[in-house]
Amino acid sequence: MSALAGPAWSPEQLVYQVDLSTEMLRAGVHAVDGREWSDPTTKRRTWWPRRRTVDSGIPRPRVADVHPDGIAGWMTGGYSRERYPAVVVGSPHVGALHLAAALGAPWLPAGFRLSVTCSPAESRRPQPALRQGRAIAAHLLDTEPDIAVYQRCDPIGQHPAGSATLDFYVKWTALPGQLRRFLTERLAPGGTVVLIRDCRGWPATQPDDGYRFQVGTVGSGLSWPDYCRQLRRLGDDGGAEWAAGDDSWTVPAPDGGDVDAEQGIHPGLLSDLRRWSGDHGRRLRIVAITDSAALSAAVADVYRSWLRSAGKTGNRLVIGCGMLLDPWQVIRAGMVPYWCPHPLHIDVDALEYWLAGSEPYRSIDLLVGPPGRLSPKLVPRDRLSALPRFATERGVLDPTCRRNYPLGVVDARHVHRVLAEQPYDSPPPPPLSTTAAIEGLDRLARYGRLLVT
């Protein structure tokens, strides 16, 4: 694959900047290293400023600049303290980020997303996406032996206003050298690695060793058969091409056997972490989920107990949806965080059940990132407006989010501005202990679809 003229691109230019994992990494560095626990007013340093504010990919020749171990070094390089009591690694879930912030621990992904520009036909239609993506995946696998490449083609969920891209999720199949060094040198003696493992599966096919291709995503809110039916209707809209026998919309037959989709943990990384933790008596705890709501509810309840043990009320709830997140501001304000991945009926159902079964919150602030598309799976605006009514005194759906839902745009920094206006609750509590966090999550596994080992 030929390279473009000029210097190689840096990791922050190569990774997909508006992916949930990269947004969490940015927020994690700011939350853990950007301020001191004793002084909530300390200014946060800038490690990785936002450059791209809309969906975009990298030019295809720039794939030659991608070196996975170098990207791992860049990820760990954002954290500057000499020692950490714990490190949270794994699947992207904002509840895990809030947990890491409470522990005073780094959050690190188990891979990264790479998006490569292409034509609309290549991005939307499974067969062209597979043909083009296979060559890119082969190049990535040639450069690094300890990775697997998952390509996701999502014609239904693709943002219509975004640029067309081929989307790859590069997963570590073993601890990359830079991450191994970080854990060995920077984890305090007796510290714990907490691995968050999203075990939700999605049908996929494996054209080559180390390369998997999937059409659709578990985050769509659709079952696999429903997704395929909607995709068939999307293809039918092409009219003559589909009727003439064009196979570009055909979904490759899944081969089964996957225990995770593109956001899951590769079994090889889990095995290597177990070997690493056993070498010198290090501690590894695994939090496995098959429902994101279970982890969100458990983390919220752990936060409430943590805040109350420090003499705070724990009666102010902030609900974030999508990529509107700022864990540092949540801790500064002494709030309890709950995260919804999407404003889908299934996610809001789970949130309502949790709210109904919890001790009431005095105040509730709801911030919803507009999905930028229409779907019957998305909840209507009126239902979102009803959620803050669970509060006993004050409940607010942020007006900017409400006004822009569902097709508008809300700046990711908006959540910072909103939470910065919340009253301070100083001093912040002392860091949550890893033991209390794990015991709390294990106790709250009653929510189901959550397992702590």
Side-chain angles (χ1 to χ4, degrees), residues 160-417:
S163 60
T165 59
L166 300 171
D167 296 325
F168 303 89
Y169 293 80
V170 181
K171 299 186 184 186
W172 317 125
T173 60
L175 281 170
Q178 297 285 353
L179 179 54
R180 184 183 298 273
R181 185 176 302 111
F182 180 84
L183 295 178
T184 302
E185 297 176 356
R186 310 279 288 281
L187 185 65
T192 302
V193 173
V194 180
L195 179 70
I196 307 296
R197 185 179 188 187
D198 188 335
C199 295
R200 293 176 296 173
W202 189 260
T205 187
Q206 182 167 322
D208 302 305
D209 288 343
Y211 169 51
R212 294 197 69 79
F213 179 84
Q214 70 179 61
V215 177
T217 172
V218 68
S220 65
L222 298 168
S223 67
W224 168 248
D226 285 344
Y227 191 97
C228 289
R229 279 191 287 270
Q230 287 207 18
L231 183 61
R232 174 73 189 196
R233 288 196 292 269
L234 186 65
D236 284 340
D237 291 340
E241 282 187 319
W242 184 274
D246 174 40
D247 68 348
S248 62
W249 290 98
T250 303
V251 177
D255 54 23
D258 266 8
V259 295
D260 59 77
E262 75 277 13
Q263 303 287 15
I265 303 298
H266 194 279
L269 176 63
L270 178 57
S271 298
D272 199 28
L273 268 172
R274 283 181 169 143
R275 287 191 294 268
W276 173 85
S277 63
D279 287 346
H280 301 287
R282 304 179 181 98
R283 288 187 285 183
L284 171 67
R285 302 303 300 267
I286 301 167
V287 180
I289 58 172
T290 56
D291 180 0
S292 64
L295 183 58
S296 295
V299 168
D301 283 1
V302 166
Y303 252 71
R304 195 174 212 179
S305 297
W306 172 52
L307 292 170
R308 287 181 168 177
S309 69
K312 301 182 184 299
T313 66
N315 279 339
R316 298 163 61 212
L317 177 69
V318 57
I319 302 169
C321 185
M323 289 195 290
L324 297 182
L325 60 153
D326 193 334
W328 181 79
Q329 292 286 355
V330 170
I331 291 175
R332 178 197 64 78
M335 302 181 80
V336 174
Y338 184 102
W339 180 66
C340 270
H342 307 284
L344 300 174
H345 284 286
I346 188 172
D347 296 314
V348 175
D349 285 347
L351 170 58
E352 287 178 338
Y353 285 132
W354 174 74
L355 284 169
S358 299
E359 178 188 334
Y361 284 87
R362 179 175 60 82
S363 72
I364 297 177
D365 287 90
L366 175 59
L367 294 134
V368 180
R373 59 189 174 91
L374 296 174
S375 167
K377 295 293 181 179
L378 293 169
V379 298
R381 186 185 301 169
D382 288 347
R383 188 176 180 194
L384 290 177
S385 299
L387 285 170
R389 295 175 190 165
F390 278 93
T392 58
E393 295 183 17
R394 173 188 169 274
V396 178
L397 169 60
D398 177 72
T400 299
C401 295
R402 188 182 192 282
R403 184 169 58 252
N404 286 280
Y405 186 87
L407 297 177
V409 176
V410 173
D411 184 357
R413 288 166 290 195
H414 176 68
V415 66
H416 167 75
R417 294 189 290 267

Side-chain angles (χ1 to χ4, degrees), residues 8-17 22 25 47-48 51-52 58 62 65-76 112-114 172:
W9 281 17
S10 60
E12 61 265 35
Q13 292 173 295
L14 294 168
V15 299
Y16 192 65
Q17 293 199 17
T22 45
L25 185 61
W47 162 60
W48 178 22
R51 291 189 176 91
R52 295 195 297 264
I58 63 172
R62 285 298 179 190
D65 296 338
V66 177
H67 302 287
D69 190 54
I71 290 178
W74 165 74
M75 290 174 171
T76 58
F112 58 93
R113 178 175 168 184
L114 184 70
W172 317 125

